[in-house]
Amino acid sequence: MSKRVASEEETGSAKQAKAAEKAPRRRNVGSSFRVSPERDSEVEPHSSSGRRSSIRNQPSGERRRSSIRSAPTDDATIFARSASFKKDGEAGGQRKRRIIVIHGDPSKPNPILPGGKWDDDDFEAVATLRQALDKLADDYTFDFKCNHDTLIQEMQAEARNGTCDLVLQFCDEGFMNHPKMELHLTAFLEMIGIPYTGTGPVTIGMTYDKQVILDIAKSIGIPVPRSVLVDKDELIVPTIKSEQLVYPVFIKPNSTDGSYGITTKSICRSDEDVQACVRMVREQFHISGGLLIQEYLEGADMNTGIIGNPPGPCHYLPVTEEDYSEVPAHLPRILGFESKWDENSPYWKIGTKVTERDKATTDFMNECSAKLFQRIGVRDYARFDWKLDANGQPRMLESNPNCGWSYDAHLQRMCALDNLTYSQMLRMIIEAAFQRLDAHAKSAQEETFVDLSDVSQFRSSEKQVAPTMRGDLLL
């Protein structure tokens, strides 16, 4: 999932209220489709028109095999395309690498889930993950650790034993299922010297703030919508006027995930609409904190995805576009809360397809995504959200490092449209991490370090002179 998540106080009460009603089937946060429980999400062959099919949601309650089918794609083909993530010199007969999988604790409350706790969908997601990883058993062994009461002690023991080669860091719920403590877990792993997949604590913390990421993107030449962050509700309308933003504007919380706090009311065409939107965010979703006011973009919702670590070997997933063809024409085109949490909503029918936009546009979007990926320190895999303006020009909306990992998440949907199964996606993420770590180790060996004896002699000589004469020595 994207790492801009709501705090417990921002999300808990609203989710508990929703749970009091008949809870609908949930999609994973950050995802917007469901696939068959037969585990490996697959893609059907190209249609006769030559374009890939759109992936859509399964109807409510159905447990039938998905209409998505697999084009035969073996791992050799994948890594030939993606510049080979395999470690150089890796040969058969070597010790299997041991990977520890860390995810949320199913025994503890979880404020970002409907009902405030794990449900059948969450257990299904982990079961599917286990089955997908079983397909990688020729190269890796996997151990799962999900008891957060003992996790710290267990990982400290792993560090002492030195038998863990990598952590598959899928604890996007955060340590103890606290939504803003994913960065704490990654920081802990770094402190005890255990490598892990995905983005580190500094970048995770940075991406809690949508406006910060937009400012960074703009500073390196990536087009973004005009945006302003407002901390006081009474200043929103005056700020729209002072910043000369033109209605309609789009209002969303600055630090939430899963489209939490976003509905059709987020599109505001008047001062009265702004007041209604603010009430919705505060009273219906119980979200505190700043609101991001943006120009409303009328065009298509699009996504780019990267597995790997640019500028090194990486795989660009197909640029996708959200398909609203089964959503009633009179409804606004918006990926809001309903599209991810309410199966009775018409927005639940939103699908995903490979975009038919021109190559120059998609190449530009991928180039910008890679640029931001490197600039903010994303690692191994990420998804980037885009939207076209009225002239068809792309604007970046958000970055999603450590995006949703489950079999029904948006990243896997993009992989399915690229003829990649769930197991193959997981392998690519793991191998991207190993390649990054191998490259870092090689680079560290080649660095030239200052001889500490020289430093000691310099400090001694510096102390021999008066403070006013130390300038030249310090230079």
Side-chain angles (χ1 to χ4, degrees):
M1 70 174 72
S2 160
K3 297 302 104 186
R4 298 162 305 284
V5 295
S7 66
E8 289 180 297
E9 56 268 28
E10 290 174 327
T11 62
S13 54
K15 295 291 178 68
Q16 295 290 350
K18 186 173 181 64
E21 305 171 357
K22 183 179 179 181
R25 171 167 284 281
R26 177 185 62 83
R27 302 183 206 175
N28 275 357
V29 175
S31 72
S32 45
F33 86 127
R34 296 199 60 78
V35 298
S36 155
E38 294 192 24
R39 311 311 181 194
D40 252 340
S41 174
E42 299 169 339
V43 67
E44 61 188 57
H46 290 216
S47 66
S48 58
S49 64
R51 58 190 279 260
R52 293 182 177 91
S53 301
S54 168
I55 296 180
R56 299 192 179 283
N57 303 315
Q58 294 299 320
S60 171
E62 289 192 11
R63 307 299 288 175
R64 60 179 174 83
R65 181 170 178 81
S66 171
S67 60
I68 307 167
R69 293 289 183 265
S70 175
T73 308
D74 58 22
D75 287 345
T77 302
I78 297 168
F79 294 114
R81 283 190 316 195
S82 55
S84 179
F85 287 134
K86 288 288 186 181
K87 180 182 177 182
D88 292 339
E90 187 169 318
Q94 290 184 339
R95 176 183 69 85
K96 292 182 182 180
R97 284 172 160 172
R98 179 169 175 263
I99 297 176
I100 292 175
V101 184
I102 298 179
H103 58 73
D105 189 332
S107 69
K108 296 188 178 302
N110 193 322
I112 68 172
L113 298 179
K117 62 181 181 180
W118 279 44
D119 62 14
D120 290 345
D121 287 348
D122 301 293
F123 289 104
E124 180 183 341
V126 173
T128 308
L129 174 65
R130 286 177 177 268
Q131 291 191 15
L133 292 175
D134 282 346
K135 297 184 178 182
L136 309 183
D138 287 346
D139 298 311
Y140 309 106
T141 62
F142 295 96
D143 292 324
F144 281 70
K145 295 189 182 296
C146 63
N147 184 344
H148 288 200
D149 289 330
T150 61
L151 181 62
I152 298 298
Q153 293 80 6
E154 289 183 73
M155 294 310 299
Q156 287 175 326
E158 293 287 351
R160 289 191 295 269
N161 295 336
T163 58
C164 174
D165 295 298
L166 186 72
V167 165
L168 187 56
Q169 202 293 98
F170 280 171
C171 190
D172 45 9
E173 293 98 328
F175 181 62
M176 294 291 183
N177 296 351
H178 190 295
K180 285 194 174 180
M181 289 185 69
E182 183 185 1
L183 69 86
H184 298 68
L185 180 58
T186 56
F188 167 70
L189 292 173
E190 291 192 0
M191 290 172 66
I192 63 175
I194 294 182
Y196 56 91
T197 60
T199 296
V202 173
T203 302
I204 292 174
M206 189 187 310
T207 56
Y208 286 153
D209 192 320
K210 293 181 170 80
Q211 183 61 30
V212 165
I213 299 302
L214 289 173
D215 288 343
I216 294 173
K218 183 178 179 181
S219 74
I220 57 176
I222 297 174
V224 298
R226 287 190 61 201
S227 306
V228 59
L229 180 62
V230 182
D231 291 321
K232 296 182 178 180
D233 295 348
E234 64 271 19
L235 297 180
I236 294 177
V237 170
T239 299
I240 291 172
K241 299 182 186 305
S242 66
E243 294 292 326
Q244 298 183 339
L245 288 168
V246 178
Y247 286 121
V249 297
F250 192 80
I251 299 179
K252 62 183 178 182
N254 190 51
S255 300
T256 61
D257 188 24
S259 296
Y260 199 71
I262 297 176
T263 71
T264 55
K265 290 184 178 180
S266 300
I267 304 172
C268 301
R269 303 181 184 279
S270 65
D271 294 356
E272 292 73 22
D273 286 351
V274 169
Q275 300 302 329
C277 176
V278 172
R279 286 195 300 272
M280 176 267 296
V281 171
R282 304 307 188 200
E283 298 173 10
Q284 179 180 341
F285 289 91
H286 301 274
I287 298 172
S288 59
L291 295 176
L292 198 58
I293 318 301
Q294 296 181 321
E295 62 173 316
Y296 176 61
L297 303 177
E298 302 279 357
D301 294 284
M302 303 179 71
N303 293 100
T304 56
I306 299 173
I307 302 179
N309 290 285
C314 62
H315 182 68
Y316 293 91
L317 296 169
V319 178
T320 59
E321 186 172 325
E322 300 309 290
D323 182 359
Y324 291 88
S325 60
E326 293 189 11
V327 177
H330 68 279
L331 293 177
R333 274 34 190 163
I334 178 175
L335 285 172
F337 177 82
E338 296 173 85
S339 71
K340 300 174 182 178
W341 296 89
D342 184 2
E343 67 178 5
N344 297 314
S345 168
Y347 287 106
W348 188 261
K349 298 179 180 180
I350 297 172
T352 295
K353 62 184 180 182
V354 176
T355 187
E356 295 180 345
R357 307 288 166 173
D358 62 274
K359 187 175 184 298
T361 297
T362 58
D363 285 351
F364 174 74
M365 294 169 65
N366 279 328
E367 178 185 343
C368 289
S369 299
K371 187 186 296 186
L372 186 62
F373 190 112
Q374 296 173 71
R375 173 61 181 83
I376 64 176
V378 178
R379 299 193 309 219
D380 302 339
Y381 64 106
R383 193 190 79 245
F384 298 86
D385 299 339
W386 294 76
K387 196 170 177 65
L388 303 185
D389 63 20
N391 297 317
Q393 299 303 307
R395 311 278 192 92
M396 183 179 284
L397 300 181
E398 296 183 18
S399 64
N400 300 277
N402 294 8
C403 53
W405 51 265
S406 75
Y407 73 97
D408 61 351
H410 208 128
L411 185 70
Q412 168 57 14
R413 182 194 310 197
M414 299 172 77
C415 287
L417 289 170
D418 202 21
N419 293 356
L420 299 172
T421 68
Y422 187 34
S423 293
Q424 291 165 341
M425 181 192 82
L426 295 169
R427 178 186 287 278
M428 292 175 72
I429 291 172
I430 290 168
E431 294 294 348
F434 275 130
Q435 186 184 58
R436 166 176 55 82
L437 294 164
D438 291 343
H440 179 76
K442 182 178 179 181
S443 175
Q445 290 173 356
E446 294 174 351
E447 289 179 359
T448 302
F449 294 95
V450 176
D451 189 324
L452 293 181
S453 63
D454 292 340
V455 174
S456 178
Q457 292 175 7
F458 173 81
R459 296 298 296 170
S460 297
S461 62
E462 188 225 353
K463 291 177 182 178
Q464 305 296 320
V465 299
T468 55
M469 299 175 60
R470 291 180 185 173
D472 292 338
L473 286 173
L474 292 174
L475 293 176

